[in-house]
Amino acid sequence: MNLLRTKSIEQSIADADEPGRKLKRSLSTWDLMIMGVAVAVGAGIFSVGAKAAANFSGPAVTLSFAIAAVTCALAIMCYAEFATAIPVAGSAYVFTYATMGELLAWIIGWNLILELFTAAAVIAKYWGIYLSKVFALMGADIPPAISLGGIDLYWGAFLIVAVFTVLLVLGTKLSARVGNIFTLIKIGVVLFVIVVGFTYVKIENYAPFIPAAQPTGGAGGADVLKQSFFGFLTGAAPAQYGTLGIFAGAALVFFAFIGFDVVATSAEEVKNPQKTLPRGIFGGLALVTLLYILVSLALTGMVSYTQLAEAENPTLTTAFEAVGDTSAAKIIAFGSLVGLTTVIMVLLMGLSRVVLAMSRDGLLPRALSKTSQKRSTPVRLQIICGAAVALVAGLTNVDLLEEMINIGTLSAFVVVSLGILVLRKKRPDLKPAFRVPFGKVLPVVSAVLCFYLMTNLAVETWIFFAVWLVIGMAIYFSYGQRHSRLNERFGDASAAVNGRAADKVRDGEDELTRA
């Protein structure tokens, strides 16, 4: 059992051209850039910054966004180098398979499924809730959930997932065009919020920029589970604000940057990926970072972070209501709804592409990787993914697992960052169109930063993560390892070698007999 066997880059590219399992190259630089903005600029820009400012960073939430952006940029550089060297679907899973072996590739693929599935389900549920808020602002009282036999059914989640599942089945280019329209609308809403927000800014609200650290109010086991894993390991008392609060805030707002790795999963559907991928990914990241920092500056300048902390669930709406501008709530609610719409689309596409890559390799059932001859999309798989996301989003309290999205993403970022070093050592002959600058320094810094942000997530998130990994290992050893196509090739090669050895032995015995 060779758990560290790797799949060659040439084989990965060849498998991407397998008849009946191919994807069509139709996306441009503009499509990728908009896709990155589409998946990153969601409701997070209207809520996650306010939560981080209220509970962790204060006005220094701007630094939290900057740290998260730098961490994401370093990791995305590594993704870009990999994607231009191996332009196939699967992202971090494929990159890990080519460098660190099958077992770790399975773990990363399993974590990507965690990230994308949980994110799609959580955001689909939020979409339904925001839809009800928009109806309420228009005077229509339509609840986000209806009760069926004592079970709350969030009907909005079913609706939005069904719509985008159909669009993705019809074609990636069509989905991208629809996503482009929604994305341009929500960028307009964000710019409106920034411009209006800055008219209410008071300089005194930025002081103190980094609030002094203070202990959290709770006590006991529940409070321990809510504190950061880093604080738990170091024995520090649960606290908020201060320097560590900035990093805890960065770990939280990192949620707003998830999705740029999803763009890399579309590598197999990109025209001229060597040039298109780096330009599209970095262009989108730069625009998103600028928008986030401007929103956080407007937010913390409008009201004191202490006012945000008093709210049960602080958002941008909380800040506008505090300054007496309740009319902005309608714009923000509409922007949140539009923002979530495109996020769901990109996450559903990314989820199906990761599962498709793992299915091609036999680690998941091969039937899942079949694509439509007419549309070159994984119709069966996209429908399965959509149905699963809709059921979980519509019928469960999935938002409890929100931080699982971050830990799944960051774990993949760590491995991809280190994988670049392995790739360069194993394949010095490769000349990818994009290469992370400064040699080994930036990939190592990226890995360290990503891992540190992981340790700033809550203890309970790490416990859930450990359970997810145990389930994944059980599936790998009971199914994936035995059905792996690489395992079959390895077995065939071993059988051929053993067969030739046996033939030589028989030939030798025959010669002795004749003698």
Side-chain angles (χ1 to χ4, degrees), residues 30-32 34-35 38 173 175-185 342 345:
W30 171 256
D31 291 326
L32 281 190
I34 292 297
M35 187 183 294
K173 185 66 177 179
S175 305
R177 286 173 179 166
V178 174
N180 291 351
I181 295 170
F182 278 101
T183 302
L184 292 175
I185 292 173
T342 52
M345 181 195 75

Side-chain angles (χ1 to χ4, degrees), residues 30 169 313 470:
W30 171 256
V169 165
N313 188 27
V470 169

Side-chain angles (χ1 to χ4, degrees), residues 465-486:
F465 186 54
V467 172
W468 177 259
L469 289 178
V470 169
I471 295 172
M473 296 301 286
I475 294 174
Y476 174 73
F477 285 109
S478 63
Y479 181 90
Q481 193 275 330
R482 292 187 295 110
H483 292 84
S484 164
R485 295 188 76 200
L486 197 61

Side-chain angles (χ1 to χ4, degrees), residues 56-57 60 63-64 67-68 71 241-254 449 452-454 456-457:
F56 297 105
S57 313
L63 297 180
S64 296
I67 291 169
T71 303
Y241 306 129
T243 303
L244 291 181
I246 295 174
F247 284 95
L252 177 63
V253 302
F254 191 82
L449 271 175
Y452 179 66
L453 287 186
M454 284 179 70
N456 277 275
L457 295 171

Side-chain angles (χ1 to χ4, degrees), residues 134-157:
V134 170
F135 281 137
L137 290 170
M138 293 189 299
D141 185 17
I142 302 177
I146 55 177
S147 182
L148 292 177
I151 299 175
D152 287 337
L153 170 65
Y154 287 83
W155 58 270

Side-chain angles (χ1 to χ4, degrees), residues 213-394:
Q214 62 185 57
T216 55
D223 199 50
V224 170
L225 292 178
K226 295 293 183 182
Q227 73 168 313
S228 73
F229 190 57
F230 181 80
F232 175 77
L233 291 176
T234 57
Q240 60 186 153
Y241 306 129
T243 303
L244 291 181
I246 295 174
F247 284 95
L252 177 63
V253 302
F254 191 82
F255 172 79
F257 287 94
I258 69 153
F260 282 98
D261 57 321
V262 180
V263 177
T265 68
S266 64
E268 196 174 316
E269 296 165 270
V270 175
K271 293 181 287 187
N272 193 9
Q274 283 71 22
K275 292 183 178 180
T276 303
L277 271 166
R279 292 173 182 172
I281 291 175
F282 292 127
L285 180 60
L287 178 56
V288 165
T289 302
L290 177 63
L291 292 175
Y292 282 166
I293 289 178
L294 289 175
V295 167
S296 63
L297 284 171
L299 168 72
T300 52
M302 290 171 66
V303 296
S304 169
Y305 72 94
T306 55
Q307 280 184 272
L308 293 173
E310 291 171 0
E312 183 178 349
N313 188 27
T315 65
L316 264 179
T317 304
T318 308
F320 278 97
E321 288 175 345
V323 297
D325 189 351
T326 54
S327 61
K330 296 180 180 180
I331 303 295
I332 293 172
F334 175 74
S336 297
L337 186 67
V338 174
L340 289 176
T341 303
T342 52
V343 177
I344 295 167
M345 181 195 75
V346 181
L347 290 172
L348 286 172
M349 188 189 80
L351 174 62
S352 66
R353 276 25 174 201
V354 170
V355 176
L356 179 141
M358 298 174 74
S359 171
R360 274 180 184 161
D361 294 329
L363 300 183
L364 291 173
R366 286 268 292 164
L368 295 176
S369 59
K370 289 184 178 179
T371 56
S372 164
Q373 289 185 349
K374 181 179 180 181
R375 306 187 187 280
S376 296
T377 58
V379 175
R380 180 187 305 175
L381 176 57
Q382 196 69 67
I383 292 173
I384 292 172
C385 289
V389 168
L391 286 172
V392 172

